[in-house]
Amino acid sequence: MLIQWYPGHMHKASKEIKEILPQVDMFIEVLDARIPFSSENPMLKTLRGDKPCIKILNKSDLADPAVTQQWQAYLEQEQGVKTLALSMTQPDKMRQLTDLCHKLLPGKEAGGRLIHTLIMGIPNVGKSTLINILAGRTIAKTGNEPAITKTQQRIDIGNGIILLDTPGLLWPNVENKNSGYRLATTGAIKDTALQHDHIAFFAAEYLLHHYPDQLKARYQLEQLPQGEQALMESIGKNRGCLRAGGHIDMDKTSKILLTELRAGTIGRISLETPAMMETELAELAIIREQKAAKKLARKRKQGYLIKK
């Protein structure tokens, strides 16, 4: 599955970001701690150049803490950024973000100049809630669904910092199919843009391999089913998701699994690790090379036919 979900306001926002870049002193990117790679916008790497960047691993209370530590070490070493693992239950820790901004740009504070910070994040990652906490008042609309913020905002949060807020940006094509599934699993893509059972089966397979104990405890399973189909049937049976004739209602069962995974009811789950991403990127590079070779071959064949 290659997910393509790119509302018009996101396309407009990407153009606006490029226009305001000369005003930007530093960047803050809000990531989902459960999927730091898949929730990262690759456009930022080319946009920011050598300007300072802080990556917020938000919703860390829902993620596997050991995996979150791996991601922080990886991002700081490989990308040269600063990281903070936060959750909505830590407003005091969120406010430390302003101190970190000043530390990264000491010259601005010494000169009494404002720090213009562009804050970015994919849909439903918690960016708007973070802004409201930093501002100490309701500035940005919040909601547990993607694509709430739809216009660019300029927000003075005090302490000499201006936040330039943008709509949640999801890049046009999620090239890595697994990243597409992870984005959908965590709710970054509207449920109306996908089929619940496809996403739930992906999540079920992953949980069976990486978090079997949490599955057994949450769904009261004496033995772990073999395969995602059997797991979904067991969950549906235990939760009474039955249709006429005793058949499992897979859509209802899928919604239960996804809702409980997103809420952290199953446990603290991370859906990707740095090692997994290195492997997937290597596989993706091979696929790109193969596509490029096929495209070149087609062009050469077309040129040969035209000449002939």
Side-chain angles (χ1 to χ4, degrees):
M1 178 188 68
L2 184 63
I3 290 179
Q4 296 186 355
W5 186 73
Y6 200 59
H9 70 271
M10 293 186 185
H11 176 70
K12 180 173 178 284
S14 65
K15 293 176 66 176
E16 290 177 350
I17 286 175
K18 293 175 183 177
E19 291 173 1
I20 65 170
L21 273 180
Q23 307 171 35
V24 176
D25 298 308
M26 66 177 300
F27 294 83
I28 294 174
E29 184 176 24
V30 186
L31 307 176
D32 187 323
R34 297 166 295 180
I35 52 169
F37 173 82
S38 296
S39 60
E40 181 183 54
N41 195 323
M43 183 176 69
L44 179 57
K45 295 178 183 178
T46 56
L47 284 178
R48 73 181 183 93
D50 58 356
K51 293 180 180 180
C53 180
I54 302 171
K55 302 237 176 188
I56 306 294
L57 276 69
N58 202 22
K59 304 186 180 183
S60 61
D61 56 324
L62 302 177
D64 186 327
V67 177
T68 297
Q69 288 181 356
Q70 291 178 30
W71 274 112
Q72 287 189 264
Y74 178 84
L75 290 170
E76 293 190 3
Q77 182 176 351
E78 295 297 323
Q79 296 187 14
V81 301
K82 293 292 184 182
T83 65
L84 282 176
L86 300 175
S87 75
M88 298 307 167
T89 60
Q90 300 172 305
D92 291 337
K93 190 174 180 181
M94 285 185 173
R95 294 187 187 99
Q96 295 175 10
L97 184 59
T98 57
D99 294 333
L100 183 54
C101 289
H102 283 293
K103 287 180 181 177
L104 292 176
L105 290 166
K108 285 276 186 179
E109 184 177 23
R113 292 173 293 171
L114 294 173
I115 297 175
H116 291 83
T117 303
L118 181 63
I119 185 165
M120 303 173 65
I122 66 166
N124 203 30
V125 79
K127 176 171 62 73
S128 295
T129 300
L130 173 61
I131 289 171
N132 291 340
I133 290 174
L134 292 174
R137 61 194 188 280
T138 301
I139 298 291
K141 291 182 180 180
T142 62
N144 191 27
E145 64 170 298
I148 292 293
T149 305
K150 296 192 177 180
T151 57
Q152 197 173 94
Q153 303 179 83
R154 181 185 174 93
I155 304 160
D156 186 346
I157 62 171
N159 296 314
I161 297 176
I162 302 293
L163 287 183
L164 304 173
D165 183 25
T166 62
L169 289 170
L170 193 70
W171 48 102
N173 290 319
V174 181
E175 194 174 7
N176 182 343
K177 67 176 183 178
N178 290 326
S179 286
Y181 275 114
R182 294 181 191 117
L183 287 162
T185 298
T186 56
I189 298 171
K190 282 187 176 181
D191 285 347
T192 54
L194 50 88
Q195 290 183 280
H196 289 102
D197 54 347
H198 290 175
I199 307 306
F201 270 64
F202 171 84
E205 181 183 18
Y206 180 84
L207 292 171
L208 277 170
H209 285 91
H210 298 277
Y211 294 96
D213 293 337
Q214 288 87 334
L215 279 177
K216 290 174 69 175
R218 178 61 189 168
Y219 298 108
Q220 301 177 344
L221 304 171
E222 293 183 6
Q223 291 185 336
L224 207 62
Q226 297 296 313
E228 59 271 26
Q229 177 76 35
L231 173 62
M232 294 296 290
E233 290 176 356
S234 295
I235 294 173
K237 185 178 180 180
N238 289 353
R239 294 297 180 87
C241 302
L242 301 176
R243 304 171 71 176
H247 298 292
I248 302 297
D249 187 332
M250 279 299 174
D251 185 64
K252 190 174 181 180
T253 304
S254 297
K255 289 178 181 177
I256 288 174
L257 178 66
L258 292 175
T259 298
E260 297 191 350
L261 190 154
R262 291 169 183 173
T265 313
I266 298 174
R268 297 181 68 173
I269 306 294
S270 290
L271 296 172
E272 60 191 22
T273 66
M276 286 170 57
M277 292 307 98
E278 291 287 354
T279 299
E280 290 182 12
L281 285 173
E283 293 171 350
L284 187 58
I286 294 173
I287 293 172
R288 285 173 180 161
E289 289 177 2
Q290 291 173 342
K291 286 182 177 179
K294 288 180 180 179
K295 186 176 181 179
L296 181 60
R298 284 197 301 271
K299 284 185 176 180
R300 286 176 174 170
K301 185 177 181 180
Q302 289 171 357
Y304 171 76
L305 292 174
I306 291 172
K307 289 179 181 179
K308 192 174 181 180

